[in-house]
Amino acid sequence: DTEVTQTPKHLVMGMTNKKSLKCEQHMGHRAMYWYKQKAKKPPELMFVYSYEKLSINESVPSRFSPECPNSSLLNLHLHALQPEDSALYLCASSQIGGLTGELFFGEGSRLTVL
Amino acid sequence: GDSVTQMEGPVTLSEEAFLTINCTYTATGYPSLFWYVQYPGEGLQLLLKATKADDKGSNKGFEATYRKETTSFHLEKGSVQVSDSAVYFCALSEIQGGTSYGKLTFGQGTILTVHP
C-alpha cells in the first residue's frame, strides 16, 4: 500500500468551480511535492515545500494555489481552471537531504475540467 | 543541466520474452538512479534504485546496474508477463556532498505492452 494518500481519486469540475486536492503522508518526510502528469508523459514538477515553506514554484499559473498546513498535509487549491489543466496530479514526499533522493508518490488525483 | 534519455517506444513483446529498456543520463554530480513504473490508471511506483556505481537494483524480476563509465542504467527482465504492461520511467536525483536536492529528472517514459 502507498504511504502517500491522495484524495479525491477522481474530480470533475467546471471552469468556474473552486476545488481542492489533498495529500497526506506519515513517514516524517519534510519535503512534499506536487506534480502534473499528462497521459503517458513524464510528471512535471509544479511545487516543492520544504519544512512547510514553499521552496520551488515552477512558474505555475496562479489558478493553482498550494498550501502546506503542517508537516503531514499538502493541499492544492484549484480555481478558474482551463480544460487543458485536465491531468493526473501526483503528490510525493521525501526526506530533506536524504542520501538517495528517493521520492514516494501517491496514487494521484485524476482531474477533468469541463 | 541534468537529463535522462530513454529508448523510444512503444515496446511490444510476447509473454516470456526478454526485456531491455535503455536509459542513459547526464549529470554534473553523482546521481542516484531510479526506475519507476506506472500501471494503467495508477500513480508512480518505485520499481528499483541504485545509488552508486556498479550497484545493481532488483525487484519483481527486474534488474538494472548503475554504469558510471557508460552513464547508463538499463532495465532488464528475463521473462516478461502480461501483468508487466505499463509505462516505465527512468529517473535521476542529483546528489552532491552526500545529500539529495529532492528533485527528480525523468526520462520520457517507455510504454511496454506484453501479449499472451
Side-chain angles (χ1 to χ4, degrees):
Chain A
D1 290 341
T2 180
E3 295 181 75
V4 177
T5 304
Q6 291 188 241
T7 55
K9 294 196 183 310
H10 300 275
L11 178 63
V12 179
M13 60 186 292
M15 288 190 285
T16 59
N17 292 157
K18 286 185 181 181
K19 298 286 185 182
S20 297
L21 306 180
K22 297 184 184 301
C23 174
E24 188 169 9
Q25 57 90 13
H26 293 290
M27 293 179 281
H29 292 165
R30 301 303 295 276
M32 297 187 75
Y33 311 76
W34 279 115
Y35 281 83
K36 173 183 178 179
Q37 186 185 27
K38 291 285 199 178
K40 298 185 171 58
K41 297 294 186 184
E44 298 173 0
L45 183 64
M46 300 174 71
F47 303 103
V48 181
Y49 273 82
S50 301
Y51 298 111
E52 297 86 67
K53 294 189 189 309
L54 183 65
S55 58
I56 296 176
N57 176 342
E58 294 285 351
S59 302
V60 179
S62 59
R63 57 186 185 267
F64 295 92
S65 175
E67 177 196 23
C68 190
N70 60 54
S71 60
S72 300
L73 294 174
L74 184 67
N75 299 321
L76 186 62
H77 302 298
L78 314 171
H79 175 53
L81 295 192
Q82 304 298 310
E84 59 265 28
D85 297 322
S86 298
L88 181 68
Y89 289 84
L90 293 164
C91 174
S93 70
S94 74
Q95 295 178 338
I96 290 181
L99 296 179
T100 66
E102 179 180 348
L103 267 60
F104 294 78
F105 285 88
E107 299 250 330
S109 293
R110 191 166 300 279
L111 173 67
T112 302
V113 182
L114 302 177
Chain B
D2 298 345
S3 66
V4 175
T5 302
Q6 285 182 239
M7 64 183 288
E8 293 186 10
V11 175
T12 302
L13 296 173
S14 297
E15 205 164 27
E16 299 184 4
F18 184 84
L19 169 70
T20 299
I21 301 178
N22 289 339
C23 172
T24 57
Y25 68 90
T26 59
T28 53
Y30 202 152
S32 290
L33 301 174
F34 307 92
W35 278 100
Y36 282 88
V37 60
Q38 188 169 34
Y39 298 102
E42 297 186 9
L44 285 170
Q45 300 177 25
L46 179 67
L47 181 59
L48 51 84
K49 66 183 178 186
T51 59
K52 60 182 186 296
D54 300 325
D55 265 0
K56 177 185 285 188
S58 62
N59 186 26
K60 299 182 181 180
F62 290 90
E63 293 183 341
T65 301
Y66 191 141
R67 300 288 188 198
K68 195 169 190 297
E69 64 275 15
T70 55
T71 62
S72 65
F73 193 54
H74 305 320
L75 182 68
E76 296 182 337
K77 186 174 185 182
S79 176
V80 294
Q81 305 299 311
V82 172
S83 57
D84 293 327
S85 298
V87 183
Y88 292 82
F89 292 99
C90 186
L92 70 80
S93 178
E94 187 71 35
I95 307 290
Q96 290 188 1
T99 59
S100 71
Y101 283 82
K103 287 182 65 174
L104 287 181
T105 300
F106 286 94
Q108 286 302 302
T110 301
I111 302 169
L112 171 65
T113 303
V114 180
H115 292 298

